[in-house]
Each structure stands twice: as C-alpha cells, then as structure tokens.
Amino acid sequence: VQLQASGGGLVQAGDSLRLSCAASGRTFSRAAMGWFRQAPGKEREFVGAINWSSGNTYYADAVKGRFTMSRDNAKNTVYLQMNSLKPEDTAVYHCGLSTSFIVSTIRRLGVYDYWGQGTQVTVSS
C-alpha cells in the first residue's frame, strides 16, 4: 500500500485548505484512514479518522467543528477539509491507513499500518 498526501501550503489565519491522501496498491484491506499531524518539537497527534465502509468520522477536540474528513471510493482518496485555520494548526500532516477498525483505538498511532510522506501546513497569524 502506498499513500500520497498533498494539498498543504502557507495560508493566513482564518483561511481554508483541503488535504488529499490517495491510496494505491492492496487497498482492499483498508478498514480506516486517519490524519495525524506533527509540529516541530512535538509528538505526532491524532487529527481525525474515517471508517472506510460506513463513512463515520472521528475528530480530535482541537479540530472538531473546523475540520471535516470525507472519502471518495472511486478515487481511493480521503480528504481533510480544514476551515478557520489557526497558527496552532501549523504542522506536517500525515495520512495513515489501518487494516482494522476499532473505535476505541482509532486515535492511536500504532493502529495504522501504512503512512504517507506528509504535507506541510503553515498558518500565519
């Protein structure tokens, strides 16, 4: 499985961005996909996840109400629509793919079997 993340950039506070993560390869084993982010000097943290079959989404409290995940089955792509961006959203955003789905563990890094290369999001004040 290969994951290709894109869509990052430099924006001002209050702006929007949409990240994409395209999956290729043995994607039939996909159960969920998630977005995590890592700011300089900080650990990678959960942003959101989507159950691929049901489309149910889960978000970190820090982004709830501002970020929205969606998927396109035909394109094997998951999106992260980010609105009302804040400087504290600045980070490298990584997408991950999990071959299993358990609601109680979907926020854990170790649940994800495959990772993309990350895309930089910078929000200026």
Side-chain angles (χ1 to χ4, degrees):
V1 175
Q2 294 80 42
L3 302 177
Q4 180 69 44
S6 61
L10 172 62
V11 297
Q12 294 186 332
D15 285 351
S16 298
L17 273 177
R18 189 178 78 157
L19 305 184
S20 301
C21 180
S24 60
R26 299 170 64 86
T27 57
F28 61 84
S29 60
R30 170 183 49 208
M33 292 186 72
W35 286 98
F36 286 70
R37 66 187 182 186
Q38 188 166 18
K42 295 187 177 181
E43 295 186 350
R44 192 173 296 191
E45 64 175 5
F46 173 76
V47 174
I50 186 166
N51 179 307
W52 197 263
S53 60
S54 68
N56 290 340
T57 52
Y58 309 84
Y59 300 100
D61 289 342
V63 307
K64 200 172 294 182
R66 300 188 297 123
F67 292 11
T68 304
M69 286 188 69
S70 60
R71 72 198 191 303
D72 185 325
N73 284 327
K75 296 182 178 180
N76 280 325
T77 299
V78 63
Y79 303 98
L80 181 66
Q81 178 67 43
M82 305 186 294
N83 298 329
S84 302
L85 282 162
K86 304 175 181 179
E88 51 263 44
D89 295 318
T90 295
V92 177
Y93 284 69
H94 299 267
C95 61
L97 182 150
S98 175
T99 56
S100 63
F101 179 81
I102 302 174
V103 172
S104 61
T105 63
I106 201 64
R107 290 170 171 79
R108 299 179 188 175
L109 272 173
V111 167
Y112 294 83
D113 305 285
Y114 304 95
W115 290 95
Q117 84 289 1
T119 184
Q120 176 72 47
V121 173
T122 303
V123 185
S124 63
S125 58

